[in-house]
Amino acid sequence: MRVLAAMSGGVDSAVAAARAVAAGHDVTGVHLALARNPQTYRTGARGCCTLEDSRDARRAADVIGIPFYVWDMADRFHADVVDDFVAEYAAGRTPNPCLRCNEKIKFAAVLDRAVALGFDAVVTGHHARLGADGLLRRSVDEAKDQSYVLAVLTREQLDRSMFPLGDSTKAQVREEAARRGLAVADKPDSHDICFIADGDTRGFLAQWLGEAPGEVVDAATGAVVGSHTGAYAYTVGQRRGLHLDRPAPDGRPRYVLSITPKTNTVTVGPAEALEVSRVRAERPVWTGGPRPDGPLECEVQLRAHGDVVPATVELTADGLRAELRRPVRGVAAGQAIVAYRPDPGGDVVLGSATIAG
């Protein structure tokens, strides 16, 4: 097949491209330039989408022996990922920008362009498995598994995707990169949010949304216990940085329980008040088989690298409902809920939806 290898400049995508070549595919490498001003994005060990990454990707393509191009998708990335990130926080939700980038950029914009150019599929370095049956499964390396952020992909997108690393651990990928003479073999993984250069999410949002002073309210008493300069700076489950004016009567820590943009209020309370047993979600994507007619027993994951919880899931006319077998704390609107079916060949992704507020 003629495939396009998305090369981020990291070790995973370099080895994925090399494996695609070794499998006999006609491979072309492409690096996505996502920053309008690369100087404002993270650099070095915490990097992603930087000039350094572009150079690393080009060197890897040279070693592998494949053509290499850079595609400028900065405007599309800004509109679909950065603007969406800001808007979600302004609405009191907690988005996952990596999930949105996969959905809107790597497997929508890139795949659409690749198909238009005559490519059959896109290969990436995600740690997930896509078997002969076309079903998406967890990686064998649970610590690096990325099926959660890929669960938003449609059946059509998965049919044109390749994930060559799903049967390998990260250590094995690095060892292979070293054997192949790839300079990125020991390059650290990227961390945090690529488009927030200093890692200060609150400061980044303040630049876009400005200061919006409001009250922090105790859920039990309704008393005002503090103030904030923007409710967008908080997320459900947060404990640190609340700056409360008075301690709780019981002396126990307080956590963010909810954010209400309409009144610009942050509500806090004890840890047990964070427990959720029912989840309502919207915009479901179902790829793991026929759409179920009724309740389905499965397992769900409510945030990246979060706990997996047994649940009863039911698709509705306007979304998805999940009854959790045990309570989960810190569930925030805007995150994804992903349903899995335990399988001897690796947990199968059934589908995903976005947790509603």
Side-chain angles (χ1 to χ4, degrees), residues 177-248:
R179 290 197 306 271
R180 292 181 179 275
L182 296 170
V184 292
D186 296 320
K187 184 176 180 178
D189 292 339
S190 59
H191 296 283
D192 300 323
I193 300 170
C194 68
F195 53 84
I196 301 181
D198 58 3
D200 180 9
T201 301
R202 180 177 296 195
F204 174 84
L205 292 169
Q207 290 178 2
W208 284 88
L209 299 172
E211 289 195 0
E215 296 177 339
V216 179
V217 176
D218 184 87
T221 64
V224 176
V225 294
S227 61
H228 63 77
T229 57
Y232 53 75
Y234 298 83
T235 187
V236 171
Q238 179 178 334
R239 174 183 173 185
R240 296 183 179 180
L242 301 185
H243 304 300
L244 303 182
D245 295 334
R246 66 182 77 170

Side-chain angles (χ1 to χ4, degrees), residues 160-171:
R160 288 186 176 273
S161 300
M162 296 171 61
F163 308 122
L165 305 187
D167 290 320
S168 301
T169 65
K170 186 60 178 261

Side-chain angles (χ1 to χ4, degrees), residues 24-76:
H25 299 297
D26 178 6
V27 182
T28 297
V30 63
H31 178 79
L32 307 181
L34 303 179
R36 286 175 171 173
N37 178 7
Q39 305 296 340
T40 66
Y41 280 30
R42 289 191 177 277
T43 60
R46 300 169 69 86
C48 178
C49 317
T50 66
L51 290 174
E52 298 168 44
D53 294 317
S54 176
R55 296 183 187 114
D56 287 342
R58 184 178 295 278
R59 294 188 193 100
D62 288 343
V63 171
I64 298 168
I66 58 175
F68 178 82
Y69 301 91
V70 175
W71 286 359
D72 183 356
M73 290 198 166
D75 289 342
R76 179 74 181 263

Side-chain angles (χ1 to χ4, degrees), residues 38-126:
Q39 305 296 340
T40 66
Y41 280 30
R42 289 191 177 277
T43 60
R46 300 169 69 86
C48 178
C49 317
T50 66
L51 290 174
E52 298 168 44
D53 294 317
S54 176
R55 296 183 187 114
D56 287 342
R58 184 178 295 278
R59 294 188 193 100
D62 288 343
V63 171
I64 298 168
I66 58 175
F68 178 82
Y69 301 91
V70 175
W71 286 359
D72 183 356
M73 290 198 166
D75 289 342
R76 179 74 181 263
F77 179 80
H78 200 278
D80 287 343
V81 180
V82 180
D83 286 350
D84 175 82
F85 179 84
V86 174
E88 285 290 281
Y89 267 102
R93 296 186 286 267
T94 304
N96 184 320
C98 294
L99 185 151
R100 191 68 66 236
C101 183
N102 283 325
E103 176 187 13
K104 298 293 187 179
I105 305 298
K106 295 176 182 175
F107 294 95
V110 172
L111 185 55
D112 288 347
R113 184 183 293 187
V115 172
L117 291 172
F119 290 95
D120 300 303
V122 169
V123 57
T124 74
H126 286 95

